[in-house]
Amino acid sequence: MRNRNPMVERRWFLGLAIAGLIGAAFFIISTIQSSDTSFICPLPQRMTRTREIENYNPTTIQLKAILHYATSRVVPQQSLSEIKISFDVLKSIGRPSKFLVFGLGHDSLMWASFNPRGTTLFLEEDPKWVQTVLKDAPSLRAHTVRYRTQLSEADALLASYRSEPACYPSRAHLRGNAVCKLALDNLPDEVYDTEWDLIMIDAPKGYFAEAPGRMAAVYSAAVMARGRKEPGVTHVFLHDVDRKVEKLYAEEFLCRKNLVKSVGRLWHFEIPPQPKDFHARSFC
């Protein structure tokens, strides 16, 4: 008998586990859709609701995702326990959500399938990679992003942003803010005009000096979350917090007081809307 490859087994298990989560997602959606009236509706309507659940059709993207992850050896970078944090939040919201994801890759079909009737938008720095991913998954929605930073600048940007009024939390804005280098000033209007329920930061690259680093993504996510006008918090997830820059920028802009969960290399923040404080020069 041949020895089993533990890495192959791990990938196979993770793929099946993700497929199971996606299956759970569309079952939960069907349950939520019927739960609001099931206890107060007359019997014929309850029977109708039961038939609706039995005949519930998962979305095309969910079926594609189940097939993909159940059969592919390519799995998401995040671990199952890390993935489940975002999945549980989407489940707890109980409605189609607005989900912004920094990064496009092997996990993108999974994120979109967790939010099948909501808005899931991906931001990616590499135009060629966008074309490659969308060729296999054309239903995904993605935009390319031009970053103005390099990882080698991380320490200097962190030290100097408090002396730049355009970066102050009291004046923080993104669209057209070319003065503050940490602000993503050239995103599509959809990104600025949408109040995102969840923001996942798992890009851009941040492991060599010339890479953009995630400084601007973290800062911009904080600005979006603090400027929320709708009720409730913005859930911000930051991956790779074992790295120096991700951790420093999270503590500076997302704030330890907003950290609600930490699993593996993932931090989950719940950031409430913030009133404008015209004297504040720091976010935390």
Side-chain angles (χ1 to χ4, degrees), residues 11 30 37-38 40 63 67 72 74-75 81 86 88 96 131 135 137 154 167 174-175 178 184 188 199 238 263 266 278:
R11 290 176 178 173
S30 66
T37 57
S38 62
I40 59 176
L63 293 176
L67 178 62
S72 176
V74 179
V75 296
S81 59
S86 309
D88 286 344
Q131 293 176 3
K135 183 179 179 181
C167 295
L174 302 179
R175 182 163 25 202
L184 292 175
I199 302 175
L238 177 61
V263 174
L266 184 80
F278 291 99

Side-chain angles (χ1 to χ4, degrees), residues 193-225:
D193 296 337
T194 303
E195 297 215 330
W196 301 99
D197 300 306
L198 304 91
I199 302 175
M200 171 71 70
I201 305 171
D202 206 357
K205 298 181 184 71
Y207 52 86
F208 57 94
E210 296 78 19
R214 297 183 186 170
M215 301 85 71
V218 172
Y219 175 88
S220 297
V223 172
M224 285 187 254

Side-chain angles (χ1 to χ4, degrees), residues 196 199 220-229 234 236 271-274:
W196 301 99
I199 302 175
S220 297
V223 172
M224 285 187 254
R226 290 167 64 92
R228 183 183 180 92
K229 296 180 177 60
T234 302
V236 179
I271 302 180
Q274 297 292 324

Side-chain angles (χ1 to χ4, degrees), residues 7 14 38 42 104 171 247 261 270:
M7 182 60 68
L14 184 56
S38 62
L104 184 70
R171 305 182 188 181
K247 186 175 181 181
K261 200 155 192 178
E270 291 183 357

Side-chain angles (χ1 to χ4, degrees), residues 242-260:
D242 56 320
R243 301 194 302 211
K244 174 187 173 183
V245 169
E246 278 79 356
K247 186 175 181 181
L248 285 175
Y249 272 72
E251 292 177 338
E252 183 70 25
F253 298 110
L254 303 178
C255 310
R256 277 275 184 179
K257 65 182 180 181
N258 298 323
L259 180 63
V260 295

